[in-house]
């Protein structure tokens, strides 16, 4: 078996991370504009005001997409660019910008894959309480149906929310992301509930607003465990015993006292199994208050799970974390390189939830720079991709329905609270000139796509 012939090979971006033009052509402010403009939040005091200037340079980026042979592009719509105060009056120039992207992609034969919410909540809604306020969910549903109706027949694949675990855990829990709040667990759980009501409500509203059938999912992130044999081991020492695999499955979905927001469990249990997991203390009270109609909204059927996967946790046959040996391979952000989490993540998520999967993000930050010869030689990213794609293929070969892979990211961009120090792109951006240079990994990925992943056969 191999990757299916219509396998989606793409790369991704998010509005705030690439667009810039934060206050142009009628765009409203978002929580990330406000957060980055207030000192002390972002490394080096950087902001997304200009970012990779994709608002003006998107044509260049789409040309690169074509050159690399991607058959799909994941990008997000900035809610406040389209609805400057979050609801009501539409900013036609904002919609026109996304029309430009979608129409050009379609002309190039590239499938648009649209994220509705990649963290840039309209500031006007935050001023009414943001996700603490249930009315934000109503506004999101209005926004989602506007988009579905506007792009009817042109955009058929959507992600409602990107990583609720991150934007709620980091934005409303630890406060290191916008809007920088540090809420109590009970308050945070209310925010989660409002986001998931928005997700379910939006799916129903979008299907109603669109004459053509839509494929809608969300992008999830969180702890993924994989089994290793013995103590600190090299990465290829996987243990094939069933009990070790069961233990890593259990550890993947088990609550984590100190870091319970970074979990696939609450997001996917609630939206697919229709109930918040009782094992999380913070959800027990909420479960007692849920009405039948809320439960129905939560589990509005979706078509796929988007999995954002970067690294995982090795566990032993009892499910206990195994320490990584000194000098374990790491990315520029010091995230461990653990390709096994790709295979086990897909396998465990399919086992528990039974929905098709799409890798909606995977990649690494490197200390990329322009070499003397003018190229950007990112051998470590190529090695990372080769290893993770091998594990993706392993899952596909076993018949796990994985329908696509999006590299994160297309171009270098604004990496949230880390500013511009971290480079995740297949395409280098020189921020002083906004010149783009395709990195070695971009050309390498182009060849992988050309062979539908076959270069990784064994
Ligand atoms: C986010 C991206 C981010 C990437 C790397 C994901 O959590 O969806 O926006 O750039 O990880 O940190």
């Amino acid at each position: 078996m191999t990757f299916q012939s219509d396998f989606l090979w793409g790369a991704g971006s998010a509005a705030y991370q690439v667009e810039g033009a934060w206050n142009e052509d009628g765009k409203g402010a978002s929580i990330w504009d406000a957060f980055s403009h207030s000192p002390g939040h972002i490394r080096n005091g950087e902001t997304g005001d200009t970012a990779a200037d994709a608002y003006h340079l998107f044509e260049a980026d789409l040309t690169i997409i074509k050159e690399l042979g991607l058959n799909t592009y994941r990008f997000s719509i900035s809610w406040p660019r389209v609805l400057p105060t979050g609801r009501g009056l539409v900013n036609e120039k904002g919609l026109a910008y996304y029309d430009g992207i979608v129409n050009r992609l379609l002309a190039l034969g590239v499938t648009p894959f649209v994220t509705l919410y990649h963290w840039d909540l309209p500031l006007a809604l935050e001023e009414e309480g943001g996700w603490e306020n249930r009315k934000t969910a109503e506004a999101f549903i209005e926004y989602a149906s506007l988009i579905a109706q506007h792009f009817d027949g042109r955009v058929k694949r959507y992600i409602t929310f990107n990583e609720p675990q991150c934007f709620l855990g980091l934005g409303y829990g630890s406060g290191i992301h916008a809007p920088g709040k540090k809420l109590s667990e009970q308050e945070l759980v209310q925010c989660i509930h409002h986001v998931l009501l928005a997700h379910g409500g939006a799916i129903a509203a979008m299907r109603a607003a669109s004459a053509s059938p839509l494929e809608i999912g969300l992008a999830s992130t969180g702890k993924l465990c994989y089994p290793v044999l013995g103590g600190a081991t090299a990465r290829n020492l996987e243990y094939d015993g069933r009990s070790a695999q069961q233990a890593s499955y259990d550890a993947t979905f088990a609550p984590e006292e100190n870091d319970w927001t970074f979990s696939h469990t609450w997001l996917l249990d609630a939206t697919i199994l229709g109930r918040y997991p009782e094992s999380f203390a913070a959800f027990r009270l909420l479960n007692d208050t849920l009405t039948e109609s809320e439960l129905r909204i939560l589990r509005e059927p979706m078509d796929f799970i988007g999995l954002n996967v970067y690294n995982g946790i090795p566990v032993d046959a009892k499910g206990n974390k195994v320490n990584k040996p000194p000098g374990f391979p790491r990315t520029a952000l010091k995230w461990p390189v653990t390709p096994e989490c790709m295979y086990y993540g897909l396998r465990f998520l399919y086992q528990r939830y039974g929905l098709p999967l799409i890798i909606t993000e995977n990649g690494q930050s490197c200390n990329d720079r322009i070499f003397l010869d003018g190229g950007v030689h990112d051998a470590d990213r190529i090695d990372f991709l080769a290893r993770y794609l091998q594990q993706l293929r392993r899952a596909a070969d076993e018949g796990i329905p994985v329908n696509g892979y999006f590299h994160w990211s297309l171009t270098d961009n604004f990496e949230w609270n880390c500013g511009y120090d971290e480079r995740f792109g297949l395409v280098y951006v020189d921020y002083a000139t906004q010149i783009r240079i395709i990195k070695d990994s971009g050309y390498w990925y182009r060849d992988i796509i050309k062979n539908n992943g076959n270069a990784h056969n064994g």
Side-chain angles (χ1 to χ4, degrees):
M1 224 182 131
T2 179
F3 293 118
Q4 64 209 37
S5 57
D6 57 352
F7 193 80
L8 295 166
W9 291 106
S13 69
Y16 188 71
Q17 294 183 274
V18 297
E19 283 179 4
W22 75 279
N23 59 357
E24 276 182 51
D25 288 344
K27 175 182 169 293
S30 80
I31 54 173
W32 272 96
D33 293 316
F35 191 70
S36 69
H37 290 166
S38 98
H41 291 136
I42 316 292
R43 207 186 280 171
N44 308 321
E46 288 161 348
T47 72
D49 287 4
T50 307
D53 203 19
Y55 188 71
H56 300 110
L57 300 176
F58 75 92
E59 297 261 10
D61 292 339
L62 302 192
T63 303
I64 290 174
I65 285 174
K66 190 63 188 168
E67 186 178 345
L68 296 184
L70 309 186
N71 59 28
T72 181
Y73 176 46
R74 176 184 174 207
F75 63 95
S76 82
I77 291 180
S78 161
W79 182 356
R81 197 179 286 291
V82 171
L83 290 162
T85 57
R87 56 169 83 84
L89 203 63
V90 174
N91 176 28
E92 294 300 337
K93 285 189 175 166
L95 265 186
Y97 168 64
Y98 297 108
D99 278 332
I101 297 182
V102 166
N103 294 345
R104 183 86 186 115
L105 284 172
L106 293 174
L108 294 171
V110 177
T111 301
F113 208 110
V114 170
T115 311
L116 291 177
Y117 188 87
H118 205 126
W119 306 356
D120 46 354
L121 182 73
L123 187 60
L125 295 181
E126 181 56 40
E127 283 162 358
E128 295 171 11
W131 291 110
E132 288 180 84
N133 186 345
R134 195 172 176 138
K135 290 207 166 108
T136 298
E138 290 161 21
F140 180 80
I141 294 167
E142 185 184 318
Y143 156 62
S145 38
L146 167 83
I147 296 297
Q149 191 171 26
H150 182 80
F151 291 104
D152 189 9
R154 291 184 288 161
V155 177
K156 297 182 179 156
R157 292 182 157 115
Y158 286 98
I159 289 167
T160 54
F161 286 94
N162 180 69
E163 298 187 353
Q165 294 94 341
C166 270
F167 75 81
L168 292 169
L170 302 180
Y172 291 78
S174 69
I176 65 166
H177 275 193
K181 288 184 172 167
K182 293 182 185 172
L183 302 183
S184 72
E185 264 186 26
Q186 281 319 313
E187 290 167 326
L188 190 52
V189 157
Q190 274 308 319
C191 293
I192 286 174
H193 188 49
H194 296 153
V195 168
L196 299 199
L197 289 174
H199 160 80
I203 295 178
M206 290 168 78
R207 294 203 202 284
S210 171
S212 42
L214 299 177
E215 281 182 38
I216 311 176
L218 48 65
S220 184
T221 191
K223 178 175 62 156
L224 295 172
C225 300
Y226 62 93
V228 293
L229 176 63
T233 61
R235 71 167 72 73
N236 55 1
L237 284 180
E238 281 170 21
Y239 180 55
D240 262 335
R242 195 178 164 342
S243 69
Q245 299 203 350
Q246 187 60 45
S248 48
Y249 173 96
D250 293 343
T252 293
F253 297 107
E256 191 86 14
E257 277 313 316
N258 307 325
D259 195 12
W260 62 270
T261 51
F262 191 63
S263 156
H264 291 285
T265 316
W266 59 261
L267 178 66
L268 299 176
D269 276 18
T271 53
I272 298 170
L273 308 181
R275 206 162 169 77
Y276 293 104
E278 287 286 324
S279 51
F280 288 88
F283 286 122
R284 269 182 230 129
L285 286 172
L286 178 62
N287 269 339
D288 292 342
T289 67
L290 293 182
T291 63
E292 263 314 306
S293 100
E294 284 183 320
L295 284 170
R296 255 198 317 279
I297 298 170
L298 287 183
R299 57 170 183 254
E300 184 69 35
M302 55 180 164
D303 302 291
F304 64 89
I305 298 171
L307 174 59
N308 291 358
V309 54
Y310 289 93
N311 56 72
I313 299 169
V315 297
D316 65 17
K318 293 193 176 122
N320 297 320
K321 284 181 196 163
V322 171
N323 287 334
K324 299 187 185 75
F328 194 87
R330 287 179 191 275
T331 70
L333 258 174
K334 297 297 174 202
W335 293 356
V337 178
T338 58
E340 302 86 343
C341 66
M342 173 70 86
Y343 166 75
Y344 284 103
L346 287 164
R347 178 169 153 174
F348 292 159
L349 260 60
Y350 184 58
Q351 192 177 332
R352 188 176 181 94
Y353 301 111
L355 277 185
L357 291 132
I358 293 176
I359 300 299
T360 35
E361 283 183 29
N362 175 239
Q364 77 155 99
S365 67
C366 298
N367 293 314
D368 296 316
R369 63 181 190 279
I370 305 174
F371 282 52
L372 277 175
D373 65 3
V376 179
H377 306 303
D378 54 343
D380 40 359
R381 180 172 288 105
I382 293 176
D383 180 72
F384 178 100
L385 285 180
R387 291 176 189 276
Y388 279 70
L389 288 177
Q390 263 175 4
Q391 298 286 331
L392 176 70
R393 180 168 185 137
R394 182 178 165 199
D397 284 349
E398 280 186 18
I400 294 166
V402 50
N403 299 335
Y405 173 89
F406 288 84
H407 181 265
W408 185 266
S409 48
L410 176 68
T411 63
D412 292 337
N413 58 47
F414 176 84
E415 176 54 26
W416 308 112
N417 55 318
C418 299
Y420 295 98
D421 275 356
E422 304 301 335
R423 294 181 176 273
F424 275 87
L426 295 168
V427 179
Y428 184 90
V429 176
D430 174 21
Y431 294 107
T433 60
Q434 295 295 352
I435 283 172
R436 273 86 163 126
I437 300 171
I438 299 176
K439 301 178 192 177
D440 288 357
S441 60
Y443 293 115
W444 182 88
Y445 187 45
R446 176 192 62 187
D447 293 341
I448 293 298
I449 296 171
K450 215 181 280 166
N451 297 315
N452 198 24
N454 281 338
H456 295 288
N457 199 359

